[in-house]
């Protein structure tokens, strides 16, 4: 079964199979901020997540949020490297054994992750890959993020 999207002029713009995103459209990812989770006493070891606002250009496309730990960024890089073959991809920002929950470190890493994902999205082969689109999809814990907040509160 095919789905045909009609433009404002009534002409067919795109043909998709149901459930498939239009990967050829421009996509942007804004690494909005970081949050520290499990910061309560007796809640386990704290960890940082990076809140990303994802937007795909096109009519009727609502942006969404995803929350990703640094490990998930590393997994994405590994998956993209498989797609890139011999091409050298940009490196992710480095790790730190101590002080990795300090605001200054996390803020710097947030900015560096923004630079990294912006560079990756410039390359259509990577931007349109299965690995990238799986990573961009909200996980169950991401679904309600941002729904009760205005963008200024995020």
């Amino acid at each position: 079964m095919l789905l045909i999207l009609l433009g404002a002029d009534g002409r067919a713009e795109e043909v998709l199979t149901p459930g498939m995103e239009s990967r050829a459209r421009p996509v942007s990812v804004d690494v909005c901020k970081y949050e520290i989770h499990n910061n309560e006493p007796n809640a386990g070891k704290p960890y940082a997540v990076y809140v990303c606002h994802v937007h795909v250009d096109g009519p009727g496309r609502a942006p969404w949020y995803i929350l990703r730990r640094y490990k998930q960024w590393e997994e994405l890089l590994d998956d993209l490297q498989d797609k890139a073959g011999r091409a050298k991809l940009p490196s992710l920002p480095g790790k730190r054994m101590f002080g990795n929950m300090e605001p200054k470190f996390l803020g710097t890493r947030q900015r560096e992750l923004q630079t990294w994902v912006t560079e990756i999205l410039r390359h259509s082969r990577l931007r349109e890959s299965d690995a990238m689109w799986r990573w961009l999809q909200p996980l169950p814990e991401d679904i309600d993020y941002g729904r009760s907040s205005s963008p200024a509160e995020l």
Side-chain angles (χ1 to χ4, degrees):
M1 179 176 175
L2 295 177
L3 173 65
I4 300 172
L5 301 178
L6 301 177
D9 60 0
R11 295 176 52 195
E13 282 189 355
E14 189 168 3
V15 178
L16 301 172
T17 55
M20 292 296 295
E21 292 291 337
S22 174
R23 297 179 183 187
R25 290 181 186 241
V27 60
S28 63
V29 175
D30 177 26
V31 185
C32 306
K33 67 177 186 170
Y34 65 85
E35 294 180 350
I36 298 174
H37 289 209
N38 281 358
N39 206 20
E40 314 287 319
N42 303 321
K45 185 177 177 182
Y47 61 91
V49 296
Y50 297 89
V51 178
C52 302
H53 183 254
V54 180
H55 178 76
V56 178
D57 284 351
R61 309 299 285 170
W64 64 92
Y65 289 94
I66 59 174
L67 284 69
R68 297 295 182 259
R69 294 179 69 168
Y70 185 78
K71 180 172 182 42
Q72 292 167 299
W73 292 82
E74 290 177 314
E75 291 166 354
L76 174 61
L77 176 58
D78 289 344
D79 291 344
L80 291 175
Q81 190 62 61
D82 291 342
K83 178 72 175 166
R86 293 182 182 201
K88 175 116 173 80
L89 297 180
S91 299
L92 285 169
K95 285 188 159 189
R96 184 191 257 188
M97 293 300 290
F98 300 102
N100 60 353
M101 291 293 118
E102 293 176 0
K104 184 176 179 182
F105 172 75
L106 292 170
T108 298
R109 181 183 268 177
Q110 173 191 338
R111 289 186 297 279
E112 291 171 345
L113 289 171
Q114 179 66 64
T115 300
W116 184 85
V117 74
T118 300
E119 180 62 25
I120 292 295
L121 291 172
R122 290 182 60 231
H123 302 280
S124 62
R125 186 173 178 189
L126 301 175
R127 180 182 63 244
E128 296 171 13
S129 70
D130 288 343
M132 177 58 79
W133 281 89
R134 276 192 309 272
W135 191 84
L136 290 173
Q137 297 309 306
L139 300 172
E141 57 268 30
D142 301 340
I143 298 296
D144 290 327
Y145 191 88
R147 288 192 185 185
S148 61
S149 304
S150 71
E153 294 172 354
L154 295 175

